[in-house]
Amino acid sequence: MRTTYTVTLTGVRKSFGDVEVLRGIDLEVRPGEVFALLGPNGAGKTTAVRILATLLRPDAGVARVCGFDVTADPREVQRSISLTGQSAAVDELLTGEENLVLLGRLRRLGRRGARQRAAELLEQFDLAGAGRRRVRTYSGGMRRRLDLAVSLVVAPRVLFLDEPTTGLDPRSRQTTWAAVRELSAAGVTVFLTTQYLEEADQLADRIAFLDHGDIIAMGRPADLKAQLAGERVELRIDAPEAAGRALELAGAGAVAARGGLMVPTGGTAREVRELLNRLDAAGVDVGQVAVHRPTLDDVFLSMTKG
């Protein structure tokens, strides 16, 4: 059965003057998926989002959202999406509640429906106590949370989040993550750009790395990390002579490290236990054991050109 994608980019190019920002990128996002686009500053992430949100026209290629071409049918695309950009887009002279109610009325929720939805969002984003304060009195993190709430007054089919948790404290970031998970569970497609690789690892079903205008890798976070390297066990061995003997016993791939050695493993407890038993039988005293797994930071640093 053919998969219907909610977001597609096919051969999309975009230049600003002599600078080619997107060099013919291709990607597809499934319904209800959380998809993260990662890359260094200037890689073209925000440009891709702005094209998909109909704010920029591609120079070449085709971009579609919910089956509609962003160039030929921008109004249909706009009816299907919501966008939270990198800066807050709320009225500072209104209260948080008034911002939400106003947008709810504009989206035809009715007076009662708009107030009810505003109350729900203020509670969800931990702003209930500040709902009747003017936004100009809000901290940067509070404004950011309100901006996210505004984008969800009416649940879109596709939500674009361009670095949504920049400047948020850990608690606010967790609140935002919970909202993203709820939206995905409800069938909303979330297209996310972020500088926080932990965020992508926590939220995304799939990620793509964009570097110098090209997609250089795409897949599930676990698969991308597995491609980089397997798990490693770090053993602390204080006695220099014992460390040398341990290196011989540990097998292929083991390398000496300060205060001990690093041993590659397949990540199973059985392998680690067998290694420790072998060293113990040889009289090697292991002080500490730590298991290291590759992270998206490792993938990012290994794949991007800097």
Side-chain angles (χ1 to χ4, degrees):
M1 186 174 66
R2 183 180 178 185
T3 302
T4 300
Y5 297 101
T6 50
V7 175
T8 61
L9 291 170
T10 307
V12 170
R13 295 179 174 273
K14 184 65 182 178
S15 297
F16 297 100
D18 295 331
V19 180
E20 192 175 23
V21 180
L22 299 178
R23 301 180 177 180
I25 66 171
D26 302 301
L27 60 82
E28 297 167 327
V29 183
R30 304 180 182 98
E33 185 174 34
V34 180
F35 186 91
L37 186 61
L38 307 180
N41 290 330
K45 303 185 300 296
T46 295
T47 298
V49 168
R50 288 174 65 82
I51 287 173
L52 289 167
T54 75
L55 299 176
L56 283 176
R57 294 173 65 93
D59 297 333
V62 177
R64 293 182 178 275
V65 178
C66 298
F68 300 107
D69 188 296
V70 300
T71 300
D73 299 301
R75 289 186 180 274
E76 293 299 331
V77 172
Q78 291 161 12
R79 291 189 181 101
S80 304
I81 70 171
S82 186
L83 167 67
T84 297
Q86 294 183 13
S87 58
V90 292
D91 191 327
E92 293 188 345
L93 297 179
L94 300 178
T95 67
E97 182 182 46
E98 288 169 344
N99 269 280
L100 292 166
V101 170
L102 175 61
L103 187 58
R105 296 293 300 274
L106 291 173
R107 298 298 296 269
R108 300 183 180 180
L109 294 182
R111 180 176 298 178
R112 179 178 296 179
R115 290 192 175 279
Q116 179 178 347
R117 184 59 178 151
E120 293 170 352
L121 289 168
L122 289 170
E123 184 68 31
Q124 181 179 2
F125 285 93
D126 199 22
L127 291 169
R132 297 191 177 181
R133 283 169 43 192
R134 292 193 178 186
V135 173
R136 68 184 181 188
T137 69
Y138 283 17
S139 67
M142 293 170 67
R143 293 186 189 208
R144 192 60 176 151
R145 298 205 306 272
L146 179 62
D147 197 37
L148 290 164
V150 164
S151 69
L152 298 176
V153 167
V154 175
R157 293 179 62 186
V158 180
L159 174 63
F160 292 103
L161 298 175
D162 193 10
E163 300 189 17
T165 61
T166 298
L168 294 187
D169 58 68
R171 179 180 177 183
S172 297
R173 191 169 296 143
Q174 290 287 342
T175 298
T176 302
W177 290 1
V180 169
R181 292 187 180 105
E182 289 175 10
L183 287 165
S184 178
V188 176
T189 301
V190 180
F191 191 104
L192 167 77
T193 76
T194 179
Q195 293 290 341
Y196 299 114
L197 301 188
E198 179 196 4
E199 184 164 79
D201 206 359
Q202 288 282 335
L203 294 177
D205 299 300
R206 287 188 304 137
I207 64 175
F209 281 95
L210 183 66
D211 190 32
H212 290 77
D214 294 313
I215 299 289
I216 58 173
M218 188 184 312
R220 297 186 307 165
D223 293 339
L224 290 172
K225 288 183 287 187
Q227 289 174 22
L228 177 66
E231 295 186 359
R232 306 182 306 279
V233 174
E234 181 180 356
L235 306 176
R236 198 191 80 184
I237 302 172
D238 294 326
E241 65 279 2
R245 192 159 63 253
L247 185 60
E248 296 175 0
L249 293 168
V255 295
R258 181 178 297 179
L261 67 155
M262 298 287 291
V263 183
T265 83
T268 66
R270 179 180 178 181
E271 283 184 87
V272 177
R273 185 167 58 250
E274 288 177 348
L275 171 62
L276 294 176
N277 288 340
R278 191 159 64 247
L279 295 177
D280 185 62
V284 176
D285 184 22
V286 178
Q288 290 183 338
V289 179
V291 177
H292 294 272
R293 296 177 174 87
T295 67
L296 282 183
D297 294 75
D298 298 323
V299 178
F300 180 91
L301 292 172
S302 70
M303 290 185 173
T304 55
K305 302 170 187 176

